[in-house]
Amino acid sequence: MYKTIQALYDGKINPAEQSRPKMKEYDTLLNELSKCRKEIFEQIESPLDKKLERLLEIQDKTFAYEMLQIFINGFRLGANIMLETCYDPHSNDDK
């Protein structure tokens, strides 16, 4: 009866791990990003490479927070939709 809740409890559902798009285009872009990043780091020297690495780390962390907020917003939206389907404030059931 509670398949989804049980799967979540058992650790079979992990939204953070499931957020990676399963598209060929995404994989192509990741490979291109990795190649470009490697080429840039091969061409620059210290201390600029350390500053660039720090910039990219901060950018990755801010992106992770953005993804968390997107997940929270989507979860809230889904919960609100479920609540609205169960409760209609305009119905005459209260009378």
Side-chain angles (χ1 to χ4, degrees), residues 3 6-7 9-11 13 22 25 50-51 57 60 66 72 75 78 84 86 88-90:
K3 288 182 185 180
Q6 181 71 42
Y9 179 80
D10 291 340
I13 298 175
K22 294 177 175 114
E25 296 85 0
K50 290 178 181 33
K51 288 181 181 180
E57 286 173 6
D60 287 346
E66 291 170 3
I72 290 169
F75 191 90
E84 287 181 17
C86 296
D88 181 5
H90 302 294

Side-chain angles (χ1 to χ4, degrees), residues 23-75:
M23 306 169 159
K24 186 177 180 178
E25 296 85 0
Y26 180 79
D27 292 336
T28 301
L29 286 173
L30 274 183
N31 289 336
E32 189 176 335
L33 177 65
S34 178
K35 181 181 174 185
C36 184
R37 184 178 181 151
K38 182 179 177 184
E39 289 172 358
I40 289 171
F41 276 97
E42 287 174 352
Q43 294 178 9
I44 61 175
E45 298 177 11
S46 258
L48 190 57
D49 64 343
K50 290 178 181 33
K51 288 181 181 180
L52 178 59
E53 185 63 37
R54 179 74 180 131
L55 170 72
L56 295 173
E57 286 173 6
I58 292 169
Q59 187 178 32
D60 287 346
K61 287 179 182 179
T62 58
F63 182 70
Y65 284 117
E66 291 170 3
M67 293 302 296
L68 172 61
Q69 190 61 51
I70 289 168
F71 175 78
I72 290 169
N73 292 346
F75 191 90

